[in-house]
Amino acid sequence: MSTSTNPVIAFAGSHRIATGQLALVALKAKELLDRNDNATILIFDDVTSEQVEVDFRGSAEQVLQRLAAGAAAAAVPAESPDSHEPARGPGRPKLGVVGREVTLLPRHWDWLNAQAGGASVALRKLVEEARRHSEQRDQLRRAQEYAYHFMSAMAGNSVNFEEATRALFAGDQAGFELLVEAWTPDVRDHLITLANRAFSVQA
């Protein structure tokens, strides 16, 4: 089960049945399953499109208890505060600086050592500059992947799926919306919401 605190969205077949916090959406899904145990329920993280697994066995109260227990377990730190703290190596941990081995060619070291502040300062500046340049590209990639995860799970057999996938990754918003126009409304509308996050980054 996902440990994310993001809102979720639930579908019964291709029809949206609920959106919101997981506990409330799980109750809506449980109500439907109690009326029709053959219903196919899929729940997605509303941001990442990761599928969220819920154990619907037992009563609604039992379902909520398991969700609460899972959330509590996820909140427990992996290590106790009393865990043995390893000896500190090189670097300045109080400032968040960690010393690690970096392997470069001699000419790289020569250039770094010639920079103002020395090799460490120069390397940090280079990394920060690279992070700034790649931030938008990484944001776009994530948004496209989130839309594609939902798209492949809910519409993988739909007409124009391959063409719509190419339009999504090509940034062709008009073409994408035209290709998915005939899809089931609830699936189409949520997918367009996800895809628009990617298109807005490109814009």
Side-chain angles (χ1 to χ4, degrees):
M1 185 187 73
S2 171
T3 58
S4 172
T5 58
N6 293 333
V8 298
I9 182 168
F11 287 81
S14 59
H15 299 288
R16 183 179 58 202
I17 58 172
T19 59
Q21 294 304 307
L22 179 57
L24 297 177
V25 171
L27 284 179
K28 288 285 189 181
K30 174 64 175 170
E31 291 174 4
L32 176 60
L33 286 169
D34 286 344
R35 295 194 304 269
N36 178 12
D37 58 8
N38 290 322
T40 300
I41 303 292
L42 289 179
I43 302 176
F44 298 90
D45 185 300
D46 201 22
V47 175
T48 68
S49 299
E50 176 187 359
Q51 288 195 39
V52 180
E53 299 296 333
V54 176
D55 185 349
F56 288 108
R57 293 176 299 173
S59 65
E61 291 75 14
Q62 290 172 319
V63 172
L64 291 179
Q65 287 172 0
R66 284 192 291 269
L67 288 177
V76 175
E79 294 183 359
S80 167
D82 297 328
S83 298
H84 173 68
E85 184 176 332
R88 289 179 177 174
R92 291 149 54 186
K94 289 185 178 180
L95 299 178
V97 178
V98 178
R100 294 182 180 174
E101 182 179 347
V102 176
T103 303
L104 298 173
L105 294 173
R107 66 175 181 274
H108 298 149
W109 285 116
D110 290 343
W111 184 88
L112 286 169
N113 289 327
Q115 304 308 302
S120 294
V121 172
L123 280 171
R124 287 198 290 271
K125 288 181 178 179
L126 289 171
V127 170
E128 288 300 324
E129 183 178 356
R131 284 184 61 191
R132 284 194 297 271
H133 287 170
S134 66
E135 184 176 358
Q136 184 175 6
R137 182 174 65 250
D138 292 342
Q139 184 181 358
L140 172 61
R141 175 183 53 79
R142 288 192 297 269
Q144 289 173 332
E145 289 177 352
Y146 296 161
Y148 178 73
H149 289 164
F150 176 78
M151 183 177 173
S152 59
M154 294 296 295
N157 294 322
S158 296
V159 63
N160 295 328
F161 173 79
E162 296 294 339
E163 293 83 354
T165 299
R166 286 194 289 271
L168 170 66
F169 285 97
D172 180 4
Q173 182 172 8
F176 177 84
E177 293 180 356
L178 182 63
L179 288 163
V180 303
E181 178 62 31
W183 293 5
T184 304
D186 288 347
V187 172
R188 177 198 64 211
D189 292 348
H190 184 61
L191 175 58
I192 287 177
T193 297
L194 293 171
N196 282 346
R197 297 171 188 172
F199 295 135
S200 66
V201 173
Q202 290 176 301

